[in-house]
Amino acid sequence: MATEKKTKEVTIEEKLKALFDLQKVCTQIDKIHTIRGELPLEVQDLEDEIEGLQTRAANLEEEVQTLSNNIVARKNAIKEAEMKINKYQAQQESVRNNREYDAISKEIEYEDLEKQLCEKKIREHVQDMDKKQSQLEEVHELVKDRSIDLESKRQELETIEEETKGDVEKLEKKVSDISKNIDERLLNAFNRIRSGARNGLAVVTVQRDACGGCFNKIPPQRQLDIRLRKKIIVCEYCGRILVDDWDKPADEK
């Protein structure tokens, strides 16, 4: 008859020790990330800025092209107006009365006004084009400068990541191994507290009779409970998990 394999029950003390060790390893990973400093954010900001500048450049190029098309259309309109003026002037030579002459004169006047309007619009379009071309050159220069900065920041970040890659992989392996000894509910609580803590500390020890996270005083009886390692105790002020310091000699506690 097959016997069921009994799994070893993890004690509260073992859970607390696992949380203590997990926090130590996570803190080491945090220190490596600190070495990287603001570089990841700086790289992201530069990438976003360059993308925005490229969008701005594309919009300017589209506006310049639209103005160029408008200029061509206005020039064609001028040619058409001139052809009509020539035609009307030729017709004036063969009019039979003053009424016909005045009617044709009004048509010539209208086409001349159309021509003048087109010429005015062309001058405005040329001015707008010059302005937008100048803006486009400035944007292209900015993209060039920011691209140089981005490449420098990327290289710096890649160098740091390459130098710390091995250490991070080893530490992440430790995190995985330690996490296996912590039940899912407790591990989720650890990750939740850690993500909400500014310094990444979800598990802290008692330091000078106070919480090592928020530095609020801890009553003596509660400190005794922490040292006994029989309960999972949470700081009533900051919500961090309070544990005994396994690295500290017993005579110093």
Side-chain angles (χ1 to χ4, degrees), residues 89-150:
Q89 286 175 341
Q91 288 177 357
Q92 275 184 330
E93 296 178 359
S94 58
V95 295
R96 291 172 294 182
N97 53 56
N98 288 338
R99 189 178 63 181
E100 289 182 7
Y101 185 89
D102 290 341
I104 293 173
S105 294
K106 286 181 180 179
E107 291 293 338
I108 291 172
E109 185 180 350
Y110 173 79
E111 294 300 334
D112 190 55
L113 287 173
E114 282 291 308
K115 179 182 172 182
Q116 291 178 40
L117 178 61
C118 287
E119 289 171 344
K120 180 176 178 292
K121 289 294 183 182
I122 287 173
R123 288 193 295 272
E124 291 175 356
H125 291 336
V126 169
Q127 289 178 351
D128 288 344
M129 275 186 68
D130 290 342
K131 183 179 178 181
K132 292 187 184 300
Q133 286 284 12
S134 178
Q135 292 174 349
L136 187 57
E137 289 173 7
E138 290 176 3
V139 171
H140 283 156
E141 194 63 30
L142 273 174
V143 170
K144 181 180 176 182
D145 291 343
R146 295 297 184 270
S147 296
I148 293 172
D149 292 341
L150 176 59

Side-chain angles (χ1 to χ4, degrees), residues 197-213:
R198 187 176 59 181
N199 54 9
L201 294 176
V203 177
V204 295
T205 59
V206 178
Q207 300 174 15
R208 296 181 180 179
D209 301 327
C211 169

